[in-house]
Every structure is written in structure tokens, then in C-alpha cells.
Amino acid sequence: MTDILRTEELKIYYGQNEAVKGVDLTFTENSVTALIGPSGCGKSTFLRALNRMNDEIPGSRMTGNIWIDGKNINAPDTDVTVLRQNIGMVWQRPNPFYKSIYANIAFGPKYHGVRNKAELDNIVEDSLRKAALWDEVKDRLHTSALSLSGGQQQRLCIARALSVQPKILLLDEPASALDPVSTAKIEETILQLKEQLCIVIVTHNMQQAARISGHTAYFYMGRLVEYDKTEKIFTNPSDPMTQEYISGRFG
Amino acid sequence: MKFGKSAVLALTLAFSVSLAACGNNNNSSSGSSSSNNASGSANTASSAPASAESTLSGSIIASGSTALQPLVDQAAKKFSETNSDVSIQVQGGGSGTGLTQVSEGQVQIGNSDVFAEEKIDDAAKAAELKDHQVAVVAMAAVVNKEVGVTNLTKQQLVDIFTGKVTNWKDVGGKDQGIVIINRPSSSGTRATFEKYALGQKTEDLKGSIQEDSSGTVKKLVNETPGAIGYLAFSYIDDTVQSVQYDGVDPTADNVTSGKYPVWAYEHMYTKGDPDAATQAFLDYMVSDEVQNGDVVELGYIPVSKMTVTRDKDGNVTNK
Amino acid sequence: MSAKLKDRIATFVIIAFSALIIALLVGMLGYILVKGISHIDWHFLTAEPETIKAGGGIGPELFNSVYLLILTLIITIPLGIGAGIYMAEYAKEGRITVSIRLVVEVLSSFPSIVVGLFGLLVLVNTFNFGFSVLSGALVLTIFNMPLMVRVTEQAFRNVPREQKEAGLAMGLSRWKIITSILLPVALPAIITGTILAAGRIFGEAAALLFTAGLTTPKLDFTDWNPTSLHSPINPLRPAETLSVHIWKVNSEGLSPDAAEIAAGSSAVLVLMVLIFNLLARWAGRLLYRKFTSIK
Amino acid sequence: MKANHETPPFMKANQETPLLFRKHRAEEWIGRIYTTFCVALLIVIIVSIVYFVASKGVSTFAVNGVSLSGFLFGQNWQPDSDKFGALPFIFGSFVTSLLAAVIASPLSVCAALFMTEITPNWGKKVLQPVVELLAGIPSVVYGFIGLSVLVPFLRSVFPGQGIGVAAGSIVLSIMILPTITSIATDALASLPRNLKEASYGLGATRWQTISGVVIPTVLPSILTGVVLGMARAFGEALAVQMVIGNAPHIPSSLFESASTLTSVITLNMSNTVMGSVQNNALWSMALILLLMTFVFVLVVRLLERRTKI
């Protein structure tokens, strides 16, 4: 397994407040890494740093290095639009565009230069299949994406993220707003996608982290407390704080 | 009035860019025609001669007096029928605006109810304008029909408009308070009425009503008990009572014969000597066709019928 | 007086005042319609006005109002939406943004007569556009732009933030996000706001007295050459709009049926405003449904 | 330590098509420049309005030598005898807009209470559209109705000719009613529910709740609406001019003819020649209107600041 993404001494500030206090983490290809920790521990902020989405928040600042593909993306000359094409992202609440299902998926590829209709059709089908949504929507591709159920919308968002063929997929609590059935489907999708992608997922759900991730990182108060194989973290964590959190004593 | 040139320039730039930005047909065409317009004077004979009977061409803009506008408008339409290469635009805007625009060279003809010298402070500017008198408008005092007065002497009118008399019974009418419906101080109608009916300027009385428009004056005189105002002949109808002036009936015949003095010229000013097309139109305005037709129809008095003339200081001479 | 009695009295007063407002509107609409509607027929709507004879119509005035409105919207919409987008998407919170917001607020509260005078001085005289459709449209733009800016800014701010994030995360340029993702969502609100603003433009008179003028040349509806004086679409001809016509007929009208014409024109004007209002509600609802959900 | 693997194919593809990227970059700049231009245009407009109106308005004093205090406090408006006292007009503007606010405010607040506190459902369905329609009626129509209905009515009931300050104020009050109502309604609707519930919970009647809790809380917002309404009344021209009578004097009764800044400008502007003293004096009045707009906006800002705290 090759490393694809690595952070060094990553610190993120919101104004005077230091939200992430120096995190070193490495992510490999074809893996799922879960970021866990109590609310406000900095895990979502860390995740958003990986595709520089924190740039959009006024007053935020970042120091340290993020190496992707041999390049430090925390450098002023980084073209964030190129970066973000290579890193997909899905949020807690599904946010499909107010367009048809087809247009949601085709939008990114079109923008990035795919003009051929057959090719677009292919990408749409392929992305929807990867997100395990194709069979449910193939007969109504041109209806509004908002007519889908919440779980379907979330998988549509995953499909949309996949449509531009990213190498890394960032998931910010993707199932926390969904019912158990939809959650199961999302998890299934994630496990399938693992074969092709590096996935980083923020989750509050311990069982979910245990079910889908290979590695788990526990964040607390902006610090990375412990990082290890998921199995190890959930059975025999080396840090007592991690132990307390996963056994549900706080958080 | 001069503004910083750079400011004007910047503004021009801003507006023209904004027009270009929306890039629509109407605006792009407006750009081209505005430059036509901006050339100011009439655009003579640039196109091929179209009609055989007319050698005149050009575009004329006349603006100003709203009282004169219907007449000029109507005459312009007829003039254009025989001179198809001359386009005439008639705009309102008021005497002051007409004089401003003709004096600044923005229009070819400025219509005015009053002599330019009375409006323009700068004597040199006023002297540049050439007067063309095209009609006479006469006016009469009108009263509410209930007050019971049909004749007022000059002195009685002065007493009323200066506030010395405040009840109709003092001038031979009913026992009723007088309500004055006057014009604003800048009004040409008021200037004429004060000059030739009262013979003096009057101050605005407290509580008097001022309306610039004849229609409103008529409406208010009709509705308001005890009201007195003054209207051009063309506005007078049976909803109000017109009043004899020193025993003389306010009729067109009495005006032309010089018996009834409350009248003024309608002026069409040009800046210096007009070009051929404008001159032809001004000639047409005083032709018999217009004077005996449109002028009478619209309730003015033909300037050609006048047996007396008057200069800007009010000196009357027999023709 | 007991608290209960006070409560009763207060409730009664509130209801009575509210009823009074409704009665006012009904009374005014009723008055205008009763007086005016009998005068409205096809001839009235299409014929030219008469100076001294009875039986004149408001055809050119109606056309002028609509034409001026269209021209104004063509100028205002791109500019207003542009500035609104700047406020919603580009402006960083700071002194400059605060002062721009102040500019918008002040501009939208300028008395229309002052803006009209500015138009007279700068557009009509200095730029020599004359009393014209163009001068009128530019002055109306000054009124309408702040409204459009507000409407647009509000509409963009009401688009869920997640939409923008989704676009950003896909590596779209900001402009692409604005035009392809946010604008379609904001559009129903913008259109509703625009139509309501259009109603206001339609009724504006004070500013147009000094800019679009009090006259209309004879219009030849077969001549569509925009440089010809008698062409209805010539932007440099003077154009008396319907609301200016009401003012003029009311004050200067020589024709015997001036009062009826004023009433009829008022009725037409009020009906147009009513239509604008209904259209705005209807279009807003329809577009919202169309853009957001189930067919 | 650097990651060592091949550059992903998609990234290569992007690097191979710089044209598309240049297009996207250009698009970004065009958008930024275009929107900035639109905002700049707003600023150009406001600066030029202020500049042009001010330069004409000031020339009355700077060029024609009319004394500023004589203009602001002089009671004699006789342009023919070079007396340019504008106090009657300034007074008229303030009195009519204040009176309009005094008449409209209680009505508006009641309408807002009706829509939010008494019958929200029915109120929203009937009163809301009514208020919106009132806002949409053009001012010339208000003037027309004022002259045709209100003036004869006032004439038959009160002393005087019907025309005058009262007629002007009433017409204006109906015109500003929607402004105050909609702002008051918004403020009332955004009031936290628990505030009222606490009062009802203590056994207070509706009126006690409204007068004791609701109104004091939203007072700054209501005042904002009143000020905005006054600003509109202050600048309204045609409707007022048609019914106020236009005598250039400070009236001694509500039913006496008076003038406002806007009415005197409307009446005289087109009759006077640009550059003449009288014309400049009218521009000075326009300048006052302009400055008052700034004052009104400032007051609204101050009130809004109080609302936030």
C-alpha cells in the first residue's frame, strides 16, 4: 500500500483559537480511515483542511504541511480548484444541486471538459453504480434530485463526488442524518469504494467506525491522541483517554 | 454652470460603458442616434433628396411651454406631411426649460409664455435669442358661479389679490369669503395677469392656493365656494364664471381690437437666426393656414389679427 | 377599569383599525374602478389622446409605460444582479462592504424628485439625451438598481450554504458556482422581487416629468427603425407614460372628458399594478416549484 | 518523506489541458470584474448625484450671494423681489411628514398586531395583501383620489377649502402605512415565542402582554419603520403637491394652504431657467431633501444598532 496523503505538524486556527494543534497523519491508497472524537475535537476541521475547504471560512489560518502526490498543498501557489477536483467530499446533510439526477452527476465532468454525450452517459451510469444508486434511479434520471429520499440523496452526493474520478474521498459524518437502512447502504457503498479510493471518514458512530475502517484516529481537544489499526483501538487502546471515549464514558 | 470636466467625463464613461455592457439593440441604436442628436443644429441635406416637392430637410426639436405645446405639436404634424424630410419633435417641460435648452443649443426652438428677458437673468444670454411671436393668449379672471359677481374693475381685482378685500359683498357679490386660487410665482400666466390686469406685482397671501396648471385651477374654482382665479380663454367653460374686466367682455374680438388688455404673446425662440428648415416651420406657424385654423381651434388668438402690438416692457402701439 | 375590560377595548381598537385599513383600500380601489372602468374599452386602450376633443385614448401612453419598463429592466437586471452577487458572494465583511451597503440604502431612499432633477441636469441637458425614453430609463435604473441589489443579495444568501460547498469541493470556479448552481436556486426570489419592483417603476411619475417628458410624438407602429422619430422604439423620443399622463390630464387637460380620462387611466394603472402583484406571487410559487422539486 | 507513486491519470489529464484551465481562470476574473464594476457603478451614481445636486444647490449661496441663514430661516419667498426664504417649505415638509407619521403609526401598529397577535391566519390572508397593494398604488393615483374625494370631504366638514396641510398629511399617511406596517409585522413575527408565553403564564391578558412585553421589545424596530415612513413622506412630490395648496407661507391652521420642499420644486422647476437665482434656490431645496435622506438613513442605522443590543 502506498501513501497518498500525509500531514505534518498541521495546525489550524480560527482567529485566535487554535482548533487543530499539530497533527501528523498518513493515509494510504485503498483504505478507510475513521476520525473519531467528541464534538469540537477538531476532526471535522482537520478533514476540511485536506481539500482546503477551510479557506472559505473567514479568519481561518493553517500552518504545517499537507503532502499529496509529492506536493505540499498548503502552499500559496496551490490551485485549490485543481486540488479539489482530485479530492471528493460528502457532508453530513445531503446537498444535491437543485437539478435533475443526471445533471447532478454530469455537472462536474462537463465542467472539466467532457463534452461527448455518450461519454457523459457512461460517467453518470458508472458513478451511480459505484454509489449503489443506479438500479433505483435509472428510470428517472431526469427528475429532480430533490425528489429522492434522504439516503438516496446522500448516495447521489457520493456519486457526484465520484464523477470527477477523485483519488481521495472525504466523508464528514455521511450517515448521521439517515435512518438505519440508508446508513447500512452507505456503509456498503463505502466498503466497495475502498477498493479504488483512499477514504477518510469523520463519524460519531463507534460501531460504524469499527465496521468500515481499517485505521482509526482519535482526536481530543485539537490533538491526535491515538492512531492505530481500528481493531487495536476498539479492543485495546494504548491511551486511557481513548479507552474512556470508546467505552462511552464521555463524548 | 460649469462642472469639473473630468467629473463629466467620468460619468459619461460610466454610463456609456454601462450601456455597452448590456449590449442590447435598443441601446446600441440609441448610441448612434444620440450622436446625431448631439450634433445640435439641424442636420441639413445629408441624405439624398427624397421628395420632389420639398427641398427642405433636417430635424427640429422644440421644447418648453406646456400651454403652447398642443399648438406647435399640431402644426408640426401638418408641416411634416408636406415636408417629409423634416422631422419635428415637440416637447413640453415648461417655459423655463425651453429657454434653458434653446439658450444652451440643445434644441432649435424654445417655446415660452413670456419674454425671454423676464426669465433669463443673464442679459447677454437673453439677447442671443431671437423672438418669434406665433399666437396671443388672453386670460380672464374666473370666479365660482355662486359668488354673484360678473364684473370687476382693475382696482377691485388689485384689492382682492392684495388681500384688502376679503369678502365678495365688498365688490358687489354675496356675503362670502374670498378664496384666491393663484399661480406660483414663476408662472408665466401669473406674470401676465399681474402685469396687465393688476398692473403690479402681488405678494402671495397667506392661505391662498397656488396651482400651476389651468385644469386644476378650473376644477378648484368650480368646486370651492368663494373662489377666484384666472384662466386662459381656452380653458374657460360653463363650469366657472368669467368676469368682465372694467366692463369689457373677455372675448377674442375685444383682445384683437385692443380693448381687453390681459393678454400675452406666445413665443418661439431660436438662438440667433434659424436654419432653413426651422425658418420654414416658423413661417408656417404664422401662415394663414395655422393662424386661422389651428390657432383658433385650440383657443388662442391669431397674432396676425391683432390690431395692436406690445413690446416686452408692455408699451402698446397700434399696428 | 379591570384588566379584562382593557383587553376587550384594546382588541376592539386593533380590529377596528385593521378594518379601517381594509376599508380604505377597498374604498379607493372601488372609487377608481367604479369611476374609471366604465371608460375602459378597446378604443380607450389603443387610441391616441386628444388635446381638446373628447374621446381620446391612452394607447401611446400605455405603450410608453411598457416600453420604458422593458428598457429599464434590460439595463437594471444585469447591473443589479451583478452588484447583488458582489454583495452576497465576493464582498468581505469590512469597511468597504459596510459603506457599499450604506450606498445602496441611501440610493434607495432618495426622493424620486431629486433623482429626476439629477436626470434633468445630467442626462437631459449635459449629455443631451433630451426628454427621452433613454433619459427616463436611466433615471428609473437609478431607482431600481438598489432594489435589485437587495433582492439579489437576499436571494443568494437564502440559498443553502451546502450548495456552494458542494460546488467548491468539486473544484468549480466561484463564478461557475454562482451562475450554474446558486443563480438557478435564487432565481425565483429574484424574479418575484423584480416583478414587484416593476410595479413601482410602472407607477413612477415625479422623476419622469423631468426626464421622459410630458409629450409623445405621433407614433407609427409600422416603423420599427429605431432612429426614426415616429418609431415607437426610438429611445431618443420623448415619452409620456401613463402615470405622467394622469398627472397631466388632471392638471392641464383641455378636453371635456379629462376627468373621465384621468379616472380611466388611474383604473388601468391600478389594474396593471394589481396584475404585477398577482404575477409576482404566481411566478414566485411556480418557479419555486419548478426549480426545487417534483415535476 | 514524500509519497512515491505515479501521478494519478486524472491529474495528468488536467495538466495536459491548460486551455480549459485558462478558460476557468478567465471566467473567474470576468465574474469578479463584472460584479465589481456593477458595484462601482452604484458608487459612481451616488457620488455624481450628490456632486451635481450639491454644486447647483450651493451656487445659490456661493454664486448668487443669497445668505444661507436667510434661506434656511427666512419666511419670505418672493423670488421677484429677491427674497428667498425657504423656511415655509422646510416647515411644511417637516410638519406634513411628522403628521403623516403620527396618523399612520397607530394604524400600522394595530394592523401589525392584528396580523401577528390576534388572527395570524386570517390576517396574513387578507390584511397582508391589502397592505402590499396599498404599497403598490402609484402616487399620482393617491393624488388623484386625494383631490377628488378627500379635499371635497374636508371642505364640507372642516373650515377652509379642504386643501391644505391636513389633506397632504392624510394622503401621505396612507402612502406610508405599508412601510411602517410591514416593518412592524416583521419585528413582531420574529419575537421569540417564550417571551409571550412567560407573560401569559403569569396570567396576564393579551393586552397586558402586548403593552407590557411585546411593544417595549419591538419599539426600536417600530421606530425604524416610522422613520423610514417619514423619509418616504418627506420626499414624496406629486401626491402632496396636488392637495396641499402650495401657498409659500407657514400655515396657522391644519386646513390652510401650505407648501413643502417637493411641491415648490415641482411647481416652479420647469418654469424657471437654469442658472437663474430662483432656479438655483430650487436646487438648494433639492439639496436639503438629499441631506435629509442621509439624516433619515443615519437615524435608522442608530435605531437598528439599538435593536441589536
Side-chain angles (χ1 to χ4, degrees), chain C residues 81-104:
Chain C
I81 291 184
I85 287 175
Y86 181 91
M87 298 301 289
E89 299 297 326
Y90 287 110
K92 297 198 176 66
E93 282 309 319
R95 244 190 223 159
I96 295 178
T97 310
V98 168
S99 40
I100 294 172
R101 200 153 285 149
L102 187 70
V103 163
V104 173

PDB file of all heavy atoms in Angstrom, chain C residues 81-104:
ATOM      1  N   ILE C  81     -28.254  42.572 -10.594  1.00  0.00           N
ATOM      2  CA  ILE C  81     -27.894  41.219 -10.186  1.00  0.00           C
ATOM      3  C   ILE C  81     -26.381  41.141  -9.975  1.00  0.00           C
ATOM      4  O   ILE C  81     -25.910  40.550  -9.005  1.00  0.00           O
ATOM      5  CB  ILE C  81     -28.375  40.184 -11.231  1.00  0.00           C
ATOM      6  CG1 ILE C  81     -29.907  40.119 -11.192  1.00  0.00           C
ATOM      7  CG2 ILE C  81     -27.792  38.811 -10.944  1.00  0.00           C
ATOM      8  CD1 ILE C  81     -30.502  39.079 -12.097  1.00  0.00           C
ATOM      9  N   GLY C  82     -25.628  41.797 -10.867  1.00  0.00           N
ATOM     10  CA  GLY C  82     -24.173  41.803 -10.715  1.00  0.00           C
ATOM     11  C   GLY C  82     -23.759  42.372  -9.370  1.00  0.00           C
ATOM     12  O   GLY C  82     -22.972  41.765  -8.631  1.00  0.00           O
ATOM     13  N   ALA C  83     -24.318  43.535  -9.046  1.00  0.00           N
ATOM     14  CA  ALA C  83     -23.941  44.163  -7.786  1.00  0.00           C
ATOM     15  C   ALA C  83     -24.429  43.333  -6.600  1.00  0.00           C
ATOM     16  O   ALA C  83     -23.737  43.213  -5.585  1.00  0.00           O
ATOM     17  CB  ALA C  83     -24.512  45.578  -7.719  1.00  0.00           C
ATOM     18  N   GLY C  84     -25.615  42.745  -6.734  1.00  0.00           N
ATOM     19  CA  GLY C  84     -26.145  41.901  -5.660  1.00  0.00           C
ATOM     20  C   GLY C  84     -25.248  40.697  -5.428  1.00  0.00           C
ATOM     21  O   GLY C  84     -24.983  40.302  -4.286  1.00  0.00           O
ATOM     22  N   ILE C  85     -24.761  40.106  -6.519  1.00  0.00           N
ATOM     23  CA  ILE C  85     -23.857  38.956  -6.398  1.00  0.00           C
ATOM     24  C   ILE C  85     -22.571  39.377  -5.700  1.00  0.00           C
ATOM     25  O   ILE C  85     -22.067  38.675  -4.826  1.00  0.00           O
ATOM     26  CB  ILE C  85     -23.555  38.369  -7.800  1.00  0.00           C
ATOM     27  CG1 ILE C  85     -24.781  37.636  -8.327  1.00  0.00           C
ATOM     28  CG2 ILE C  85     -22.358  37.413  -7.746  1.00  0.00           C
ATOM     29  CD1 ILE C  85     -24.630  37.138  -9.748  1.00  0.00           C
ATOM     30  N   TYR C  86     -22.099  40.549  -6.070  1.00  0.00           N
ATOM     31  CA  TYR C  86     -20.885  41.025  -5.405  1.00  0.00           C
ATOM     32  C   TYR C  86     -21.103  41.095  -3.891  1.00  0.00           C
ATOM     33  O   TYR C  86     -20.284  40.631  -3.112  1.00  0.00           O
ATOM     34  CB  TYR C  86     -20.501  42.406  -5.936  1.00  0.00           C
ATOM     35  CG  TYR C  86     -19.240  42.948  -5.316  1.00  0.00           C
ATOM     36  CD1 TYR C  86     -18.013  42.705  -5.897  1.00  0.00           C
ATOM     37  CD2 TYR C  86     -19.282  43.675  -4.132  1.00  0.00           C
ATOM     38  CE1 TYR C  86     -16.849  43.166  -5.320  1.00  0.00           C
ATOM     39  CE2 TYR C  86     -18.126  44.146  -3.542  1.00  0.00           C
ATOM     40  CZ  TYR C  86     -16.909  43.893  -4.139  1.00  0.00           C
ATOM     41  OH  TYR C  86     -15.766  44.350  -3.558  1.00  0.00           O
ATOM     42  N   MET C  87     -22.251  41.677  -3.508  1.00  0.00           N
ATOM     43  CA  MET C  87     -22.526  41.834  -2.081  1.00  0.00           C
ATOM     44  C   MET C  87     -22.659  40.490  -1.385  1.00  0.00           C
ATOM     45  O   MET C  87     -22.243  40.322  -0.249  1.00  0.00           O
ATOM     46  CB  MET C  87     -23.820  42.634  -1.875  1.00  0.00           C
ATOM     47  CG  MET C  87     -23.791  44.042  -2.414  1.00  0.00           C
ATOM     48  SD  MET C  87     -22.502  45.023  -1.693  1.00  0.00           S
ATOM     49  CE  MET C  87     -23.148  45.227  -0.042  1.00  0.00           C
ATOM     50  N   ALA C  88     -23.285  39.528  -2.064  1.00  0.00           N
ATOM     51  CA  ALA C  88     -23.561  38.257  -1.399  1.00  0.00           C
ATOM     52  C   ALA C  88     -22.358  37.324  -1.448  1.00  0.00           C
ATOM     53  O   ALA C  88     -22.129  36.560  -0.508  1.00  0.00           O
ATOM     54  CB  ALA C  88     -24.769  37.585  -2.043  1.00  0.00           C
ATOM     55  N   GLU C  89     -21.589  37.353  -2.530  1.00  0.00           N
ATOM     56  CA  GLU C  89     -20.587  36.305  -2.729  1.00  0.00           C
ATOM     57  C   GLU C  89     -19.141  36.785  -2.687  1.00  0.00           C
ATOM     58  O   GLU C  89     -18.247  36.021  -2.363  1.00  0.00           O
ATOM     59  CB  GLU C  89     -20.844  35.604  -4.069  1.00  0.00           C
ATOM     60  CG  GLU C  89     -22.205  34.930  -4.144  1.00  0.00           C
ATOM     61  CD  GLU C  89     -22.352  33.822  -3.110  1.00  0.00           C
ATOM     62  OE1 GLU C  89     -21.351  33.162  -2.815  1.00  0.00           O
ATOM     63  OE2 GLU C  89     -23.469  33.649  -2.596  1.00  0.00           O
ATOM     64  N   TYR C  90     -18.886  38.023  -3.073  1.00  0.00           N
ATOM     65  CA  TYR C  90     -17.492  38.452  -3.150  1.00  0.00           C
ATOM     66  C   TYR C  90     -17.093  39.363  -2.000  1.00  0.00           C
ATOM     67  O   TYR C  90     -15.958  39.330  -1.546  1.00  0.00           O
ATOM     68  CB  TYR C  90     -17.233  39.175  -4.479  1.00  0.00           C
ATOM     69  CG  TYR C  90     -17.184  38.250  -5.670  1.00  0.00           C
ATOM     70  CD1 TYR C  90     -18.187  38.256  -6.632  1.00  0.00           C
ATOM     71  CD2 TYR C  90     -16.137  37.351  -5.825  1.00  0.00           C
ATOM     72  CE1 TYR C  90     -18.142  37.403  -7.717  1.00  0.00           C
ATOM     73  CE2 TYR C  90     -16.087  36.493  -6.907  1.00  0.00           C
ATOM     74  CZ  TYR C  90     -17.089  36.523  -7.853  1.00  0.00           C
ATOM     75  OH  TYR C  90     -17.038  35.677  -8.914  1.00  0.00           O
ATOM     76  N   ALA C  91     -18.051  40.205  -1.564  1.00  0.00           N
ATOM     77  CA  ALA C  91     -17.692  41.214  -0.576  1.00  0.00           C
ATOM     78  C   ALA C  91     -17.226  40.547   0.712  1.00  0.00           C
ATOM     79  O   ALA C  91     -17.882  39.640   1.219  1.00  0.00           O
ATOM     80  CB  ALA C  91     -18.890  42.109  -0.301  1.00  0.00           C
ATOM     81  N   LYS C  92     -16.094  41.005   1.226  1.00  0.00           N
ATOM     82  CA  LYS C  92     -15.656  40.515   2.534  1.00  0.00           C
ATOM     83  C   LYS C  92     -16.179  41.497   3.566  1.00  0.00           C
ATOM     84  O   LYS C  92     -16.231  42.699   3.319  1.00  0.00           O
ATOM     85  CB  LYS C  92     -14.132  40.451   2.577  1.00  0.00           C
ATOM     86  CG  LYS C  92     -13.572  39.476   1.567  1.00  0.00           C
ATOM     87  CD  LYS C  92     -12.140  39.106   1.914  1.00  0.00           C
ATOM     88  CE  LYS C  92     -11.589  38.069   0.976  1.00  0.00           C
ATOM     89  NZ  LYS C  92     -11.442  38.566  -0.409  1.00  0.00           N
ATOM     90  N   GLU C  93     -16.589  40.962   4.696  1.00  0.00           N
ATOM     91  CA  GLU C  93     -17.101  41.850   5.736  1.00  0.00           C
ATOM     92  C   GLU C  93     -16.006  42.839   6.096  1.00  0.00           C
ATOM     93  O   GLU C  93     -14.892  42.456   6.450  1.00  0.00           O
ATOM     94  CB  GLU C  93     -17.535  41.052   6.962  1.00  0.00           C
ATOM     95  CG  GLU C  93     -18.887  40.370   6.802  1.00  0.00           C
ATOM     96  CD  GLU C  93     -19.990  41.309   6.320  1.00  0.00           C
ATOM     97  OE1 GLU C  93     -20.039  42.463   6.802  1.00  0.00           O
ATOM     98  OE2 GLU C  93     -20.789  40.898   5.463  1.00  0.00           O
ATOM     99  N   GLY C  94     -16.296  44.088   5.982  1.00  0.00           N
ATOM    100  CA  GLY C  94     -15.289  45.089   6.308  1.00  0.00           C
ATOM    101  C   GLY C  94     -15.836  46.451   6.011  1.00  0.00           C
ATOM    102  O   GLY C  94     -17.029  46.600   5.718  1.00  0.00           O
ATOM    103  N   ARG C  95     -14.971  47.431   6.092  1.00  0.00           N
ATOM    104  CA  ARG C  95     -15.427  48.795   5.931  1.00  0.00           C
ATOM    105  C   ARG C  95     -16.056  49.033   4.566  1.00  0.00           C
ATOM    106  O   ARG C  95     -17.064  49.703   4.442  1.00  0.00           O
ATOM    107  CB  ARG C  95     -14.262  49.746   6.121  1.00  0.00           C
ATOM    108  CG  ARG C  95     -14.540  50.600   7.330  1.00  0.00           C
ATOM    109  CD  ARG C  95     -13.579  51.716   7.465  1.00  0.00           C
ATOM    110  NE  ARG C  95     -13.216  51.801   8.868  1.00  0.00           N
ATOM    111  CZ  ARG C  95     -12.128  52.387   9.299  1.00  0.00           C
ATOM    112  NH1 ARG C  95     -11.285  52.909   8.455  1.00  0.00           N
ATOM    113  NH2 ARG C  95     -11.879  52.438  10.575  1.00  0.00           N
ATOM    114  N   ILE C  96     -15.420  48.476   3.543  1.00  0.00           N
ATOM    115  CA  ILE C  96     -15.896  48.743   2.184  1.00  0.00           C
ATOM    116  C   ILE C  96     -17.302  48.191   2.001  1.00  0.00           C
ATOM    117  O   ILE C  96     -18.201  48.878   1.505  1.00  0.00           O
ATOM    118  CB  ILE C  96     -14.932  48.127   1.152  1.00  0.00           C
ATOM    119  CG1 ILE C  96     -13.582  48.833   1.258  1.00  0.00           C
ATOM    120  CG2 ILE C  96     -15.504  48.233  -0.251  1.00  0.00           C
ATOM    121  CD1 ILE C  96     -12.533  48.289   0.331  1.00  0.00           C
ATOM    122  N   THR C  97     -17.500  46.972   2.448  1.00  0.00           N
ATOM    123  CA  THR C  97     -18.826  46.367   2.317  1.00  0.00           C
ATOM    124  C   THR C  97     -19.864  47.160   3.091  1.00  0.00           C
ATOM    125  O   THR C  97     -20.967  47.397   2.600  1.00  0.00           O
ATOM    126  CB  THR C  97     -18.784  44.930   2.841  1.00  0.00           C
ATOM    127  OG1 THR C  97     -17.695  44.272   2.235  1.00  0.00           O
ATOM    128  CG2 THR C  97     -20.058  44.209   2.515  1.00  0.00           C
ATOM    129  N   VAL C  98     -19.499  47.582   4.280  1.00  0.00           N
ATOM    130  CA  VAL C  98     -20.434  48.369   5.086  1.00  0.00           C
ATOM    131  C   VAL C  98     -20.801  49.650   4.348  1.00  0.00           C
ATOM    132  O   VAL C  98     -21.964  50.039   4.293  1.00  0.00           O
ATOM    133  CB  VAL C  98     -19.820  48.676   6.465  1.00  0.00           C
ATOM    134  CG1 VAL C  98     -20.643  49.716   7.189  1.00  0.00           C
ATOM    135  CG2 VAL C  98     -19.735  47.408   7.290  1.00  0.00           C
ATOM    136  N   SER C  99     -19.807  50.282   3.737  1.00  0.00           N
ATOM    137  CA  SER C  99     -20.140  51.546   3.071  1.00  0.00           C
ATOM    138  C   SER C  99     -20.926  51.310   1.787  1.00  0.00           C
ATOM    139  O   SER C  99     -21.770  52.125   1.442  1.00  0.00           O
ATOM    140  CB  SER C  99     -18.896  52.397   2.818  1.00  0.00           C
ATOM    141  OG  SER C  99     -17.834  51.595   2.414  1.00  0.00           O
ATOM    142  N   ILE C 100     -20.658  50.193   1.104  1.00  0.00           N
ATOM    143  CA  ILE C 100     -21.467  49.916  -0.090  1.00  0.00           C
ATOM    144  C   ILE C 100     -22.921  49.688   0.314  1.00  0.00           C
ATOM    145  O   ILE C 100     -23.847  50.156  -0.344  1.00  0.00           O
ATOM    146  CB  ILE C 100     -20.935  48.690  -0.850  1.00  0.00           C
ATOM    147  CG1 ILE C 100     -19.550  48.979  -1.416  1.00  0.00           C
ATOM    148  CG2 ILE C 100     -21.872  48.330  -1.991  1.00  0.00           C
ATOM    149  CD1 ILE C 100     -18.886  47.781  -2.012  1.00  0.00           C
ATOM    150  N   ARG C 101     -23.077  48.978   1.436  1.00  0.00           N
ATOM    151  CA  ARG C 101     -24.445  48.735   1.896  1.00  0.00           C
ATOM    152  C   ARG C 101     -25.136  50.062   2.208  1.00  0.00           C
ATOM    153  O   ARG C 101     -26.311  50.256   1.902  1.00  0.00           O
ATOM    154  CB  ARG C 101     -24.402  47.830   3.124  1.00  0.00           C
ATOM    155  CG  ARG C 101     -25.715  47.152   3.380  1.00  0.00           C
ATOM    156  CD  ARG C 101     -25.537  45.849   4.097  1.00  0.00           C
ATOM    157  NE  ARG C 101     -25.032  44.804   3.220  1.00  0.00           N
ATOM    158  CZ  ARG C 101     -24.257  43.815   3.633  1.00  0.00           C
ATOM    159  NH1 ARG C 101     -23.910  43.752   4.884  1.00  0.00           N
ATOM    160  NH2 ARG C 101     -23.854  42.903   2.790  1.00  0.00           N
ATOM    161  N   LEU C 102     -24.375  50.976   2.774  1.00  0.00           N
ATOM    162  CA  LEU C 102     -24.921  52.299   3.076  1.00  0.00           C
ATOM    163  C   LEU C 102     -25.323  53.008   1.784  1.00  0.00           C
ATOM    164  O   LEU C 102     -26.375  53.641   1.696  1.00  0.00           O
ATOM    165  CB  LEU C 102     -23.868  53.119   3.829  1.00  0.00           C
ATOM    166  CG  LEU C 102     -24.345  54.467   4.367  1.00  0.00           C
ATOM    167  CD1 LEU C 102     -25.305  54.258   5.513  1.00  0.00           C
ATOM    168  CD2 LEU C 102     -23.168  55.311   4.827  1.00  0.00           C
ATOM    169  N   VAL C 103     -24.463  52.877   0.770  1.00  0.00           N
ATOM    170  CA  VAL C 103     -24.756  53.500  -0.525  1.00  0.00           C
ATOM    171  C   VAL C 103     -26.076  52.973  -1.075  1.00  0.00           C
ATOM    172  O   VAL C 103     -26.938  53.736  -1.512  1.00  0.00           O
ATOM    173  CB  VAL C 103     -23.607  53.223  -1.533  1.00  0.00           C
ATOM    174  CG1 VAL C 103     -24.066  53.498  -2.956  1.00  0.00           C
ATOM    175  CG2 VAL C 103     -22.400  54.053  -1.199  1.00  0.00           C
ATOM    176  N   VAL C 104     -26.253  51.664  -1.009  1.00  0.00           N
ATOM    177  CA  VAL C 104     -27.484  51.062  -1.519  1.00  0.00           C
ATOM    178  C   VAL C 104     -28.681  51.593  -0.748  1.00  0.00           C
ATOM    179  O   VAL C 104     -29.711  51.951  -1.321  1.00  0.00           O
ATOM    180  CB  VAL C 104     -27.415  49.519  -1.417  1.00  0.00           C
ATOM    181  CG1 VAL C 104     -28.747  48.900  -1.784  1.00  0.00           C
ATOM    182  CG2 VAL C 104     -26.319  48.984  -2.317  1.00  0.00           C
TER     183      VAL C 104
END
